[in-house]
Amino acid sequence: MGPVLDRVTSPADLRTLSADELATLAAEVRDVLVQTVARTGGHLGPNLGIVELTIALHRVFDSPAEPILFDVGHQAYVHKLLTGRAAQMPTLRQGGGLSGYPSRAESTHDWIENSHASTALSYADGLAKAYAVRGERRPVIAVVGDGALTGGMCWEALNNIAAADRPVIIVVNDNGRSYSPTTGGLAEHLAGLRLRPGYERVLGQVKGALGRTPVLGQPLYDALHGVKRGIKDVLSPQGMFEDLGLKYFGPVDGHDLPAIENALRLARGFGGPVIVHCVTRKGYGYPPAENDEADQMHQSTGFDPVTGLARPSTGKSWTKVFGEELVAIGEERDDVVAITAAMCNPTGLAAFARRFPDRCYDVGIAEQHAVTSAAGLAFGGLHPVVAIYATFLNRAFDQLLMDVALHELPVTFVLDRAGVTGNDGPSHNGMWDLALLGMVPGLRIAAPRDEVTLRELLREAVAVSAGPTVVRYPKTPIGADLAVLRRVSDVDVLREPDATASVDVLVVAVGSIAADVLDAAGAVESAGYTVRVVAPRWVTPVDPAIGAFADQAALVVTVEDGVATGGVGSRISQTLRDGGRDVPTREIGIPVRFLEHGNVADVRASAGLTVQDIGRRIVEWSATVPPGGERPATADGLTEAEDADPRR
Ligand SMILES: Cc1ncc(C[n+]2csc(CCOP(=O)(O)OP(=O)(O)O)c2C)c(N)n1
């Protein structure tokens, strides 16, 4: 690792290091970050940019008694290295290894691990209130990026924090970026400061003032404040924070360790709510990251540490197909607009944004606002496509329910990273969408299983003129197109026994898991049971054809990569029962628990979702029910009513 880092087993060790040793430590930490993430993948740019700031935080504050809360937590690798976990760094994001976010199980220095943005200030507010109630006066520190600061929760928390005198220290790590440059009025305000020619001079003045100032709390803050007040209105965003009632220190050069330490000591001594504004550079110290135009290596799946070149990706991604098809749709329809919550590249919208810059909106890390703003766009006669990771839509459930669905507005939600996502851990699995969204009246959910169905279903979704639609797909590479034997209503038959055999088990495959279900079906047939596999293209509402297929089977099994409780399978079972059908039903899905991080295959295995698990469970269940009945004489066994397309 490096001779200085080797000596750091806890933050206390940092306080004994000389200035030279601290500089060496920063270099060693950067080297570990690059070498590790090159192999394991993970968040590189944000961690390279926060090295000095993290060292300063741990020298000034007494963690864990004085909690340091990292918003999102993707930038906490340095914190891990300084809190006794350097030796485990090679296991980062691997099953059984270090988490890619803070983890309470790993260390008492880790307080929060939710990893959905813009929450740290609220946690800090609550912790500070708790300490006040308990009669303890200890500072609580929230480290928040300028990207996360675009999220509404931050401002709700600031509103409370500013109105009290509790010692909450908000460290703004301002690198001007979320994944890509942070957008919006706040971002422009902060960027204006950085772009002014006088910025260096401001840094110099502030540094000088801080350097001469011992830590004496409020009186000195006031004096210092007086020094800076003259430049405030021209160059600094402090007015904005101070208008809220918050004290402001900065801007501080976030790579100048003595300067940050001084600012943090002042903030600590002040004793009330305060903002410390640090200006940092994402990717700092590693040229391939610093020079990466797209996102300064915000997140990488692995790369060559010497050149910084990404490892070649395996296979075509769902994201790319979506991005291509949306551009094609955009060429044909000028009413189609797109929205991203600070994730233009990762959600595949970049091509659309380049082609139609006036029809693509990056609203910041603000999923709730994104959804209600989409409702406004729909009221205005447009068809918005909200591209979002499945897990982050959880944030905006109420907005989808009340602001969009209640008004029957035509908004299409495209949920990427649905199902098990693996290495990013429990918070990033997109396993709740199918269950949550099943409760929304009038919402239609499409689950494409391959490239051809993704393109078709996206087009069908944006063609819907009343009520919201969802198209959801996973992170794993898109597989080969699956052959369809026939289509009944809107349900594709992917496999069935020969015409004379009865059907022991009907397996309903939800979306991209269909390929695994087909593999599992082979094993079920080898065990002596006949299988029909069907895949509804629209999985909610339940297609009436499922009922007719169920009538021909001795057992119905549903398979989905979302939580089994309340998921598509449970809706199918309920619909069959409501229709008076007493065919036994079983649901395979993800158990309701948080899944540990690891690669996708291992996490799926831990959730009982491998091909082998699916096959074994179907065989076990098939053994418990009487064999399948005779197949009806008609081609599909459908009544006229059941044959109706549920979307019409
Ligand atoms: C609610 C939510 N939406 C989206 C994300 C995905 N995400 C992770 S980090 C990030 C950018 C964070 O930017 P910033 O807070 O400025 O931190 P930086 O990476 O620049 O240090 C985003 C959008 C998230 N974690 N949570």
Side-chain angles (χ1 to χ4, degrees):
M1 284 184 304
V4 183
L5 183 54
D6 281 344
R7 282 162 45 204
V8 177
T9 56
S10 83
D13 298 326
L14 293 171
R15 291 173 209 131
T16 64
L17 300 178
S18 67
D20 284 350
E21 286 171 322
L22 288 168
T24 308
L25 175 69
E28 289 174 7
V29 165
R30 286 202 165 86
D31 189 48
V32 172
L33 291 173
V34 171
Q35 299 303 331
T36 305
V37 180
R39 264 191 327 96
T40 65
H43 289 95
L44 185 62
N47 281 288
L48 289 169
I50 200 172
V51 175
E52 287 80 11
L53 177 51
T54 312
I55 294 173
L57 283 164
H58 278 298
R59 277 168 56 83
V60 172
F61 296 100
D62 181 22
S63 171
E66 299 177 353
I68 303 174
L69 313 173
F70 290 93
D71 201 285
V72 184
H74 64 307
Q75 75 291 56
Y77 299 176
V78 187
H79 162 80
K80 291 189 187 226
L81 288 170
L82 304 181
T83 51
R85 285 169 275 180
Q88 293 148 269
M89 206 57 185
T91 68
L92 185 72
R93 302 172 85 242
Q94 314 304 303
L98 286 185
S99 160
Y101 295 90
S103 158
R104 290 174 64 86
E106 271 175 27
S107 170
T108 52
H109 292 279
D110 294 6
W111 281 79
I112 55 172
E113 57 182 56
N114 61 307
S115 96
H116 284 205
S118 316
T119 59
L121 274 55
S122 300
Y123 282 118
D125 177 56
L127 263 171
K129 284 171 177 160
Y131 293 148
V133 169
R134 285 163 41 172
E136 299 174 31
R137 190 139 184 106
R138 40 174 161 154
V140 181
I141 303 95
V143 182
V144 59
D146 56 294
L149 213 48
T150 58
M153 273 184 80
C154 283
W155 296 88
E156 295 165 35
L158 280 173
N159 190 36
N160 283 197
I161 291 168
D165 68 348
R166 292 179 281 266
V168 176
I169 295 163
I170 299 162
V171 179
V172 177
N173 174 24
D174 175 12
N175 56 25
R177 293 192 158 243
S178 298
Y179 271 70
S180 21
T182 306
T183 58
L186 168 70
E188 279 168 25
H189 205 79
L190 295 176
L193 169 72
R194 287 192 301 270
L195 293 176
R196 297 274 185 130
Y199 168 58
E200 290 303 327
R201 185 168 47 82
V202 175
L203 278 186
Q205 282 177 348
V206 173
K207 229 158 59 183
L210 293 172
R212 290 190 301 276
T213 309
V215 184
L216 288 176
Q218 179 77 46
L220 265 180
Y221 171 79
D222 290 342
L224 174 63
H225 193 224
V227 172
K228 289 191 295 161
R229 189 125 205 127
I231 52 173
K232 157 197 157 184
D233 292 325
V234 214
L235 291 172
S236 136
Q238 71 194 52
M240 179 178 63
F241 293 117
E242 289 187 339
D243 287 347
L244 274 172
L246 283 159
K247 299 299 177 200
Y248 172 93
F249 289 105
V252 182
D253 177 348
H255 300 297
D256 180 338
L257 192 54
I260 318 166
E261 278 195 42
N262 272 322
L264 293 177
R265 286 186 208 288
L266 276 172
R268 190 174 196 279
F270 174 65
V274 52
I275 296 245
V276 180
H277 178 194
C278 290
V279 179
T280 61
R281 186 156 168 74
K282 207 163 191 164
Y284 189 74
Y286 181 56
E290 283 197 61
N291 301 331
D292 175 20
E293 291 283 313
D295 62 7
Q296 291 179 324
M297 295 182 80
H298 177 91
Q299 184 160 25
S300 166
T301 49
F303 58 94
D304 176 338
V306 178
T307 61
L309 291 175
R311 249 185 246 138
S313 58
T314 48
K316 197 167 189 177
S317 72
W318 295 82
T319 312
K320 188 166 188 320
V321 173
F322 157 68
E324 283 171 9
E325 196 62 24
L326 192 67
V327 170
I329 293 169
E331 300 287 359
E332 296 160 26
R333 282 182 50 184
D334 56 13
D335 65 323
V336 170
V337 294
I339 300 181
T340 171
M343 300 186 72
C344 192
N345 278 320
T347 56
L349 281 186
F352 189 91
R354 275 194 303 275
R355 180 71 187 87
F356 309 108
D358 297 336
R359 284 157 55 191
C360 190
Y361 308 99
D362 179 350
V363 299
I365 309 180
E367 286 79 7
Q368 294 147 291
H369 162 61
V371 173
T372 305
S373 169
L377 284 159
F379 272 133
L382 303 180
H383 191 112
V385 174
V386 182
I388 210 164
Y389 281 11
T391 185
F392 300 136
L393 185 69
N394 295 352
R395 273 280 164 95
F397 176 74
D398 185 63
Q399 283 74 9
L400 194 159
L401 180 69
M402 295 303 169
D403 305 343
V404 176
L406 179 70
H407 299 101
E408 297 183 18
L409 290 168
V411 177
T412 295
F413 296 89
V414 174
L415 305 187
D416 200 331
R417 307 313 200 256
V420 170
T421 55
N423 299 86
D424 276 321
S427 61
H428 274 61
N429 291 305
M431 56 193 248
W432 292 279
D433 59 325
L434 291 172
L436 272 177
L437 299 176
M439 289 184 283
V440 178
L443 176 77
R444 294 154 224 206
I445 306 174
R449 53 177 183 268
D450 51 21
E451 180 169 346
V452 70
T453 49
L454 171 55
R455 291 185 191 273
E456 282 172 9
L457 288 165
L458 180 64
R459 281 182 174 273
E460 290 172 31
V462 295
V464 170
S465 57
T469 51
V470 167
V471 180
R472 59 102 71 184
Y473 49 78
K475 173 186 181 183
T476 43
I478 202 161
D481 290 339
L482 301 181
V484 177
L485 304 181
R486 60 195 172 102
R487 179 171 297 172
V488 180
S489 181
D490 206 32
V491 178
D492 287 340
V493 180
L494 304 183
R495 175 180 181 128
E496 57 188 348
D498 70 52
T500 56
S502 59
V503 179
D504 292 324
V505 53
L506 170 72
V507 187
V508 183
V510 176
S512 63
I513 206 158
D516 287 353
V517 169
L518 285 173
D519 289 343
V524 177
E525 291 219 338
S526 303
Y529 299 99
T530 55
V531 186
R532 173 181 282 153
V533 177
V534 299
R537 301 169 71 253
W538 289 84
V539 294
T540 298
V542 175
D543 192 305
I546 301 283
F549 283 123
D551 287 341
Q552 301 166 18
L555 170 71
V556 176
V557 178
T558 60
V559 189
E560 64 195 293
D561 59 351
V563 284
T565 306
V568 172
S570 75
R571 291 202 284 285
I572 289 176
S573 300
Q574 189 173 3
T575 306
L576 294 176
R577 278 198 307 280
D578 289 350
R581 296 178 164 95
D582 54 8
V583 57
T585 60
R586 302 283 186 277
E587 297 103 30
I588 296 179
I590 300 174
V592 180
R593 62 179 163 80
F594 293 111
L595 305 176
E596 290 301 316
H597 62 275
N599 67 43
V600 171
D602 290 346
V603 178
R604 278 197 169 184
S606 78
L609 269 190
T610 63
V611 171
Q612 292 72 20
D613 291 324
I614 296 168
R616 179 183 44 76
R617 292 171 76 183
I618 295 175
V619 169
E620 283 169 9
W621 286 326
S622 296
T624 65
V625 299
E630 289 305 306
R631 301 177 72 194
T634 58
D636 319 318
L638 292 174
T639 65
E640 229 169 79
E642 285 174 325
D643 206 6
D645 181 339
R647 286 168 299 115
R648 268 182 234 128

